[in-house]
Amino acid sequence: MSSYSAEEVSANYEKEFGAEDGAVVHRLTVSVSQLFHEWRLFLYLFCGRKERVDALNAASGSTAKVLGNLLWDNAVLKVRALTDYEKIGSNRNMSLQNLCRIAKKFDIVDLDGPFEEMRAKCEKSRKYADKYLAHRDFHHSVGRKSSPITRDETTASVEAIGDFVRLFHSRFATRTTFSHQLWERTMKRNSLLCFIWVLSSWMKCGQRK
């Protein structure tokens, strides 16, 4: 567990990168951490032991299906948003490409190549989100075309995003800010703690105005 409060973490990022960029790094780091935990929750509930899946279906099969679809769709949509380009037309996006800009600004490392590599690994998730979730492509909706996505492909996307964010943080001399948020690359550990963490986060979100 972290010994830092959310306010202390935010202040550390602002000290490291300045007020505006520090807020961007903090928001993106938290967003990726949330994505990781939520996807691990999906794998824990729906891709673990058969007895667990059977218990969910027995308790309420329709509720389990809705929850599974929500977690999966949410993960794919977050992958899509995080891997957008920082600027599209006149719009600025809170995407991971902001970390490339910040890394260049502080003359630490060029992350343009790693960003494009990460984005390529997320291409199937991005395409699925475009065709089925963020938009309703007609030919895909009526079944004339198909852009399926598997759990393994979604996991690969989430892990690629995690690797990219780790790379960004590893290039800075001060890494204590990020240490409490580092997630294990594997998706199979600490899933019960992840479950509790996600539920707690959702409850906090519900309290926001």
Side-chain angles (χ1 to χ4, degrees):
M1 296 295 292
S2 168
S3 59
Y4 296 101
S5 68
E7 292 75 17
E8 288 173 325
V9 172
S10 180
N12 285 338
Y13 279 124
E14 290 186 11
K15 181 179 179 181
E16 185 80 29
F17 304 106
E20 182 176 337
D21 288 335
V24 170
V25 174
H26 186 205
R27 178 67 60 86
L28 287 171
T29 302
V30 170
S31 295
V32 173
S33 183
Q34 181 88 22
L35 167 63
F36 235 77
H37 286 303
E38 289 178 4
W39 185 243
R40 285 169 63 178
L41 173 60
F42 172 85
L43 296 179
Y44 173 74
L45 292 176
F46 300 101
C47 307
R49 295 183 303 172
K50 183 177 182 299
E51 294 83 356
R52 185 183 303 133
V53 178
D54 289 343
L56 282 170
N57 289 328
S60 178
S62 60
T63 300
K65 184 173 182 179
V66 168
L67 177 60
N69 287 340
L70 283 173
L71 285 170
W72 198 342
D73 289 351
N74 186 55
V76 174
L77 283 170
K78 284 186 175 181
V79 168
R80 176 68 177 81
L82 286 166
T83 56
D84 269 339
Y85 287 118
E86 178 189 4
K87 196 168 184 180
I88 300 178
S90 60
N91 296 320
R92 288 188 65 189
N93 296 314
M94 182 60 77
S95 76
L96 291 172
Q97 196 177 33
N98 282 277
L99 300 184
C100 300
R101 172 183 58 78
I102 293 170
K104 282 184 181 179
K105 178 179 178 179
F106 286 86
D107 197 26
I108 301 297
V109 65
D110 186 346
L111 291 177
D112 288 344
F115 175 80
E116 291 298 339
E117 292 174 9
M118 178 267 294
R119 202 168 187 266
K121 293 177 181 178
C122 297
E123 184 57 31
K124 287 215 168 184
S125 294
R126 290 178 53 80
K127 187 173 183 179
Y128 183 87
D130 283 342
K131 299 301 182 182
Y132 296 107
L133 301 178
H135 310 284
R136 290 290 182 181
D137 180 84
F138 179 82
H139 294 292
H140 286 77
S141 295
V142 300
R144 294 177 185 170
K145 291 184 179 180
S146 178
S147 298
I149 185 77
T150 67
R151 289 189 294 262
D152 286 345
E153 288 165 344
T154 307
T155 298
S157 296
V158 174
E159 289 180 339
I161 287 173
D163 288 343
F164 176 79
V165 176
R166 280 194 211 88
L167 177 62
F168 170 83
H169 284 275
S170 71
R171 297 307 174 110
F172 289 90
T174 303
R175 285 177 282 177
T176 54
T177 302
F178 187 54
S179 63
H180 78 289
Q181 293 175 326
L182 281 173
W183 46 80
E184 296 177 11
R185 195 175 192 279
T186 176
M187 292 287 171
K188 298 180 180 179
R189 298 181 185 176
N190 300 324
S191 295
L192 182 57
L193 290 176
C194 162
F195 177 69
I196 296 171
W197 187 90
V198 171
L199 288 181
S200 174
S201 298
W202 285 349
M203 290 173 67
K204 290 178 182 177
C205 288
Q207 295 171 356
R208 294 175 184 165
K209 296 180 180 179

